[in-house]
Amino acid sequence: MNSRKGKYGMKINFESEKPIFAQIAEGIEDAILSGAFPEGEKIPSITELSASMKINPATANKGVNLLVDSDIVYKKRGLGMFVQEGAVEMLKEKRKKELIEDQVTKLIEEAMRLGLTKDDLVSIINEKFAA
């Protein structure tokens, strides 16, 4: 697989259908959620990100700007980019919505095609959580 892991733990898969800039944004989101980039603290610069991932700075910039546009990070002129207060909660809510829309809906649709009931699914989920 054609992928690369950078200094900050972010992974880029060059064969993915997801654009590289979106993977950068998602990687920074993951780092914020894990506590690697705490709220109020600075994130790596565009130069640091692009050098670490060996990608074009414009691509890294586009990924970071997705987070700026979503109020997850903000710019301090001359100082860099910082994680917005409340970013963790915003990201959790965003990811919950995505999980429900993308995964849970598909799971329910497939379960119905297979003849599984709600109780069957609840039982399966309970088993997996207990494991």
Side-chain angles (χ1 to χ4, degrees), residues 46-111:
I46 301 302
T47 303
E48 291 168 324
L49 284 171
S50 61
S52 168
M53 302 306 297
K54 296 180 176 65
I55 59 171
N56 187 308
T59 303
N61 189 52
K62 191 171 181 181
V64 170
N65 280 332
L66 283 177
L67 300 176
V68 171
D69 293 344
S70 300
D71 293 325
I72 301 300
V73 300
Y74 63 96
K75 298 176 188 181
K76 277 190 182 178
R77 189 173 177 94
L79 297 176
M81 302 285 203
F82 292 79
V83 179
Q84 187 74 259
E85 294 296 329
V88 170
E89 198 54 42
M90 285 189 288
L91 287 171
K92 284 182 180 179
E93 285 304 312
K94 174 188 168 208
R95 295 271 178 105
K96 283 179 196 175
K97 285 180 184 175
E98 289 172 353
L99 175 68
I100 291 166
E101 291 172 11
D102 297 342
Q103 305 296 321
V104 176
T105 301
K106 288 178 187 174
L107 171 67
I108 292 169
E109 289 169 354
E110 183 65 13

Side-chain angles (χ1 to χ4, degrees), residues 112-131:
M112 290 170 70
R113 280 190 287 274
L114 297 173
L116 295 171
T117 66
K118 176 182 169 185
D119 290 338
D120 293 334
L121 281 180
V122 169
S123 178
I124 292 166
I125 291 168
N126 285 334
E127 285 175 25
K128 293 296 180 181
F129 265 101

